[in-house]
Amino acid sequence: MSTTELTSVAPLTLTEGAVKELNKIREQQEVAEDFGLRVGVQGGGCAGMNYILGFDQKKEGDTEYLISGIKVFMNKAHGLYLAGMEIDFQNGLNARGFTFNNPNATSTCGCGTSFSA
């Protein structure tokens, strides 16, 4: 297990809507206190990379952030792709779900969950 200290300056932000929805999910799914929100990237998708977003335990190589009361885990290597990103939650008639506003993305797919940098 990594001994990385809690870092105060996070490379990404969560909107009020995202925080509200994440807290709701945590409560409904009875997510354990030692789990945090994992944010990252992985190869795949129609544009080259997919976002990772879900509750998980801290892993070796993770940096831990506290964003609006939510523990966030991110692999250090993913910071290059996620710096400055904003995660929001849309709950409208035309769209419902988490959205990723990533200034590092040079192109995105139509659904917004895949990007290239």
Side-chain angles (χ1 to χ4, degrees):
M1 186 62 74
S2 175
T3 59
T4 304
E5 295 295 317
L6 183 68
T7 305
S8 60
V9 180
L12 57 96
T13 59
L14 300 171
T15 66
E16 186 178 324
V19 170
K20 184 178 176 181
E21 186 66 19
L22 289 165
N23 284 328
K24 184 171 134 184
I25 292 168
R26 178 181 278 275
E27 184 179 315
Q28 287 176 343
Q29 296 184 2
E30 299 178 358
V31 177
E33 286 299 316
D34 63 330
F35 279 58
L37 180 68
R38 175 160 308 283
V39 180
V41 296
Q42 67 184 11
C46 53
M49 299 180 109
N50 284 325
Y51 293 109
I52 299 169
L53 185 69
F55 289 102
D56 194 7
Q57 289 181 309
K58 191 171 183 179
K59 297 178 183 174
E60 180 101 23
D62 281 348
T63 301
E64 181 177 335
Y65 304 96
L66 187 62
I67 305 173
S68 300
I70 295 178
K71 271 191 295 192
V72 176
F73 303 143
M74 187 173 75
N75 184 295
K76 293 175 189 177
H78 297 188
L80 172 71
Y81 302 106
L82 302 176
M85 184 172 75
E86 176 188 76
I87 299 174
D88 191 14
F89 184 79
Q90 301 291 316
N91 195 10
L93 294 174
N94 294 329
R96 184 175 195 283
F98 289 98
T99 61
F100 305 91
N101 181 9
N102 188 344
N104 304 301
T106 56
S107 67
T108 60
C109 67
C111 65
T113 62
S114 177
F115 73 103
S116 62

